[in-house]
Amino acid sequence: MFRWLNGPGAAFVDPLPGSTNYLNAYDPQGNLIRARGGTAARRASDKDDPEKVADEGKDDDPDLKTGRKELDQNIAGGRPIPKELADDLMPFPMNRQFKSQPVLSEELRDEIYRRITEERKSVRMVSAELGVEMQRVGAVFRLKTIEKQWAIEGKPLAMPYARAINAMLPKTPYDPRTRKPAQPHESINDLPVHSATTRQLFHPVPESMHFNRTSAAKVFARDLLPADKRIPHPEMVELAKFASENRGRDDLLKTRQNELEQEEAAILNMRREQKAAHEAAAKKVDTARWQFRFENIKVESVGRHGRGRAGVGARYGVPPQDRKKGQIKIPMRVD
């Protein structure tokens, strides 16, 4: 152990700034492999060959003896270190199938929060502009809101811990000049798998019938929407159609804004109608100090296992059944 700490492990005493510093990025002598152009190119081309990967980093390679010296000269001279290769993002040398995925940089998270709060943009619009999933955009906004609220209340924040963790992971940086991430963070328009589409069907169709994606969706389920309506960002399909029709982006934004306003108005009307129906179904009895409300309930509302959300007392929670005797604690089926 001490031989490794005094030899190759000495490179990790002062971690390389702006890099993940995983073991796979260094050779057995503690030299950063991608800092040398020739060896890095050979590593990129031979990474799929197990024999060449095993031979890489042996003592008879003359480049390995000068790797650390060249790296120190690059850092001292202000020359940038090459970006991590695929092999450099493997934190566990024996598990070559696992690669560390990038996280959002602090600047990109601040930009997401700023666009939602200051520019009043929707989560969907910010997701399309920055290439980040809507769920992640919403999570960033909620966490940033809590962080700023804690700062106002004077609660301590674990910023040293956050900076240390961020320094160990690959990040997606934000470019203020282009107002976009330097590279795409993730795919934002993947089609979610619906449970009705997991079975294989053979549906005969007449040759004279116009069969499209909408018709195919109705074959799987009556209420199933087509693929171009179930994707997270259907407006991107509309943008491609507008581009093919030589129509500008402004037309799409106006059309999409009108659609969003109509959808929000429909949701508000539906909530008002549900609230009015709930109020009308309840019988109210006023007394001197209180108002008692009586509602009709059904025993079947609790569901087969007695834990339905529509049952009485659901708001107070239901105790878990995992400590009761005779309870099956393993999944009986896979959905």
Side-chain angles (χ1 to χ4, degrees):
M1 181 181 69
F2 290 101
R3 182 183 302 174
W4 183 86
L5 291 175
N6 296 326
F12 300 96
V13 176
D14 297 319
L16 183 65
S19 179
T20 52
N21 295 290
Y22 293 153
L23 287 175
N24 256 33
Y26 293 83
D27 58 30
Q29 282 70 37
N31 301 318
L32 187 65
I33 298 176
R34 70 176 184 274
R36 303 184 304 278
T39 307
R42 179 169 59 84
R43 183 180 178 86
S45 61
D46 297 341
K47 62 181 180 180
D48 295 329
D49 192 341
E51 296 180 359
K52 293 183 180 179
V53 171
D55 294 338
E56 184 180 338
K58 288 188 177 180
D59 295 338
D60 56 357
D61 191 344
D63 289 340
L64 299 180
K65 300 178 181 180
T66 59
R68 188 66 185 180
K69 182 178 180 181
E70 293 178 3
L71 177 60
D72 295 338
Q73 292 175 354
N74 289 343
I75 297 176
R79 289 191 289 269
I81 301 300
K83 181 178 172 56
E84 292 100 332
L85 301 174
D87 285 357
D88 299 331
L89 299 179
M90 298 179 185
F92 310 109
M94 301 301 294
N95 185 3
R96 300 185 59 82
Q97 302 301 322
F98 178 79
K99 294 181 177 63
S100 183
Q101 299 299 318
V103 299
L104 299 178
S105 63
E106 188 66 25
E107 295 79 12
L108 186 53
R109 292 198 292 264
D110 292 336
E111 180 64 18
I112 291 174
Y113 181 80
R114 189 192 67 81
R115 294 193 183 190
I116 295 178
T117 55
E118 298 182 8
E119 299 183 8
R120 299 295 180 181
K121 293 183 178 180
S122 63
V123 173
R124 185 184 299 272
M125 185 174 296
V126 174
S127 172
E129 290 178 350
L130 299 179
V132 183
E133 276 191 346
M134 288 191 292
Q135 292 85 349
R136 201 179 307 279
V137 172
V140 168
F141 175 73
R142 290 189 293 269
L143 292 175
K144 276 290 179 182
T145 303
I146 296 175
E147 177 184 336
K148 294 184 180 298
Q149 183 64 30
W150 281 16
I152 295 174
E153 296 175 357
K155 293 184 179 180
L157 301 177
M159 297 307 295
Y161 173 77
R163 285 192 291 267
I165 294 297
N166 283 331
M168 301 177 187
L169 300 174
K171 293 175 286 297
T172 301
Y174 173 73
D175 190 353
R177 296 175 299 177
T178 60
R179 302 187 75 244
K180 290 182 179 180
Q183 67 264 1
H185 182 71
E186 58 191 344
S187 177
I188 63 173
N189 223 12
D190 292 338
L191 179 65
V193 178
H194 195 277
S195 59
T197 62
T198 55
R199 54 198 178 110
Q200 187 177 16
L201 294 178
F202 294 93
H203 184 70
V205 178
E207 293 184 1
S208 59
M209 179 180 177
H210 183 67
F211 194 82
N212 52 21
R213 285 189 290 266
T214 304
S215 306
K218 299 300 181 184
V219 173
F220 284 103
R222 292 181 177 272
D223 56 347
L224 183 63
L225 296 176
D228 51 353
K229 296 293 182 63
R230 290 193 294 117
I231 56 178
H233 292 278
E235 68 274 5
M236 290 186 172
V237 179
E238 297 296 329
L239 180 60
K241 292 180 180 178
F242 274 51
S244 63
E245 299 172 0
N246 295 326
R247 301 171 64 180
R249 184 181 179 88
D250 295 337
D251 296 338
L252 174 62
L253 292 178
K254 291 180 181 178
T255 303
R256 187 58 185 167
Q257 187 65 27
N258 295 333
E259 292 178 356
L260 290 176
E261 292 177 356
Q262 294 176 2
E263 292 177 2
E264 291 177 358
I267 292 175
L268 290 176
N269 292 333
M270 181 184 65
R271 290 178 178 176
R272 291 195 194 100
E273 293 176 358
Q274 290 178 351
K275 185 176 180 180
H278 182 73
E279 292 291 335
K283 181 180 179 181
K284 306 179 183 64
V285 178
D286 295 323
T287 61
R289 297 183 58 186
W290 311 102
Q291 182 187 67
F292 295 95
R293 299 167 58 91
F294 299 92
E295 299 179 6
N296 294 326
I297 63 168
K298 296 181 180 179
V299 179
E300 293 82 5
S301 300
V302 297
R304 186 179 67 174
H305 299 289
R307 304 171 68 87
R309 297 181 62 182
V312 179
R315 71 180 65 181
Y316 306 110
V318 181
Q321 307 289 326
D322 55 352
R323 292 187 177 274
K324 284 190 175 182
K325 293 183 178 180
Q327 294 292 330
I328 300 176
K329 302 178 178 63
I330 60 175
M332 302 299 296
R333 62 188 180 92
V334 179
D335 294 328

